[in-house]
Amino acid sequence: MPNARASHLTRRGLLAAGGALGLGAALAACGKDDPRTDAADKGAGKTKSGPWSFTDDRGQKAKSKTTPKNIVAFTGTAAALFDYGIEVKGVFGPTKTADGKPDVQAGDLDISKVEILGNVWGEFNVEKYAALAPELLVTAMWEKNALWYVPDQSKDKILTLAPSVALWAAQTNVPKAIQRHAELAESLGADLKAKKVTDAKARFEKAAERLRQAAKSKPEIRVLIGSGSQDLFYVSVPKMSADTLYFQELGVKFVEPKPNAQGFFEELSWENADKYKADVIILDNRTGTLQPDTLKSKPTWAKLPAVKAGQVFPRVTEPIYSYDKCAPVLEDLAKAIENAKKVA
């Protein structure tokens, strides 16, 4: 679920805008290869020298004569690679806030050490990108063949400068998304047997079981996936995002809205924000979306049972797909459900 707030925005813009999911024009797929013939996909890729290749979630094979070092990535994807020990030269997407601090999607990245090619939707400095002599572009994918935060108007030029890899952020679940990011990182030289990685994986697995048990012990608790803009309250469909689909697979009970034609979410006017009753609300935490302090000015928000009960929690709407970053997401939701009371 990603960030843009106006009725005239494309689906892709809405997804990027913080409201919920949707994406625009798909990129034309080309050069597809059978992933089964690509050893790099299964963690057997070259790391230091020799030919490198990786088949992404479009079914396209990125390849080069040597393992890419000059990597440019969507901020959240760069943060995931960083957790596996792979550093990038440049990033695009929400990276720093207005006060210069790291955006929530930057994870542990040192944003002073990367070239920021664009910080908001539609912004991507092609000249700076070319100057980095990029060897690989990596980003997320919310709809087939649509590269996240790569502007449609300049995508053709961008894609001629380096091979690209796109990994699903939708139409998958968290473990599969983490696995794919780990496979890419390993192909680029990461050591998946490093203690930091194995410890994080163990914590993730423990957190998943905790959430499963919390959901099992509180089957009456209903969770609403929300995102607030000035004019609209977005209620998302759980199966459409990797994180909430996984929560659902672990047993969490969600409010199921009636989505628009795009299928990702239902847009409600603030007058109708109380359409669905929920015991817990997980609220989009991305920069650019309205947070609880601001939402206090919305009368219908203040009257929602979950809000009155203090059962509103931040949702990491665009997770950083590493074990290290996803484990606390599971832990936080488990704790919220463990402590939740039936109020709706």
Side-chain angles (χ1 to χ4, degrees), residues 42-243:
K42 303 305 177 186
K46 305 296 188 294
T47 57
K48 295 299 181 183
S49 62
W52 172 88
S53 67
F54 185 88
T55 300
D56 73 359
D57 291 347
R58 296 170 295 178
Q60 294 188 26
K61 181 182 285 187
K63 53 188 176 181
S64 61
K65 294 180 179 179
T66 60
T67 302
K69 299 299 180 186
N70 289 352
I71 303 167
V72 174
F74 169 67
T75 302
T77 309
L81 292 175
F82 183 85
D83 285 346
Y84 293 110
I86 303 299
E87 299 189 22
V88 305
K89 298 291 185 181
V91 296
F92 54 94
T95 306
K96 62 180 179 180
T97 59
D99 59 4
K101 295 180 180 179
D103 188 271
V104 293
Q105 297 189 58
D108 292 334
L109 288 176
D110 184 342
I111 64 172
S112 69
K113 294 183 178 179
V114 293
E115 184 75 51
I116 300 175
L117 305 178
N119 197 57
V120 297
W121 182 256
E123 186 177 87
F124 190 114
N125 191 311
V126 181
E127 289 70 28
K128 285 185 178 180
Y129 178 58
L132 291 173
E135 297 172 320
L136 180 65
L137 177 78
V138 188
T139 191
M141 181 169 63
W142 289 82
E143 284 190 339
K144 184 70 172 180
N145 299 325
L147 302 188
W148 193 231
Y149 271 81
V150 176
D152 290 335
Q153 64 271 25
S154 53
K155 69 179 186 294
D156 291 341
K157 184 174 182 180
I158 291 168
L159 294 177
T160 63
L161 296 175
S164 62
V165 164
L167 299 178
W168 276 120
Q171 302 187 38
T172 188
N173 64 17
V174 172
K176 291 177 182 177
I178 292 176
Q179 180 181 357
R180 290 295 284 151
H181 284 73
E183 288 170 355
L184 174 61
E186 186 175 37
S187 81
L188 295 169
D191 178 8
L192 299 187
K193 295 181 180 179
K195 188 176 187 301
K196 177 183 177 182
V197 177
T198 58
D199 285 354
K201 183 176 182 181
R203 180 184 174 187
F204 174 85
E205 291 170 348
K206 182 179 180 180
E209 183 57 27
R210 179 182 174 184
L211 179 55
R212 187 191 305 276
Q213 293 303 320
K216 184 178 180 179
S217 69
K218 294 282 188 77
E220 73 280 8
I221 298 298
R222 289 294 183 275
V223 179
L224 182 146
I225 311 160
S227 184
S229 73
Q230 190 59 42
D231 299 321
L232 296 171
F233 184 51
Y234 298 84
V235 180
S236 291
V237 177
K239 70 178 182 179
M240 298 303 287
S241 299
D243 62 331

Side-chain angles (χ1 to χ4, degrees), residues 27-50:
L27 299 173
C30 62
K32 291 187 178 180
D33 291 275
D34 186 346
R36 293 170 296 180
T37 66
D38 188 4
D41 278 326
K42 303 305 177 186
K46 305 296 188 294
T47 57
K48 295 299 181 183
S49 62

Side-chain angles (χ1 to χ4, degrees), residues 296-344:
K296 289 178 181 177
S297 63
K298 305 290 186 184
T300 47
W301 169 262
K303 293 178 182 179
L304 293 175
V307 176
K308 291 195 292 184
Q311 295 181 169
V312 177
F313 305 94
R315 177 196 173 200
V316 182
T317 305
E318 292 186 63
I320 295 168
Y321 288 114
S322 67
Y323 293 113
D324 183 72
K325 296 301 182 295
C326 287
V329 171
L330 297 176
E331 291 166 349
D332 290 346
L333 183 56
K335 182 179 179 180
I337 292 176
E338 288 165 354
N339 296 330
K341 297 179 180 178
K342 184 68 180 176
V343 294

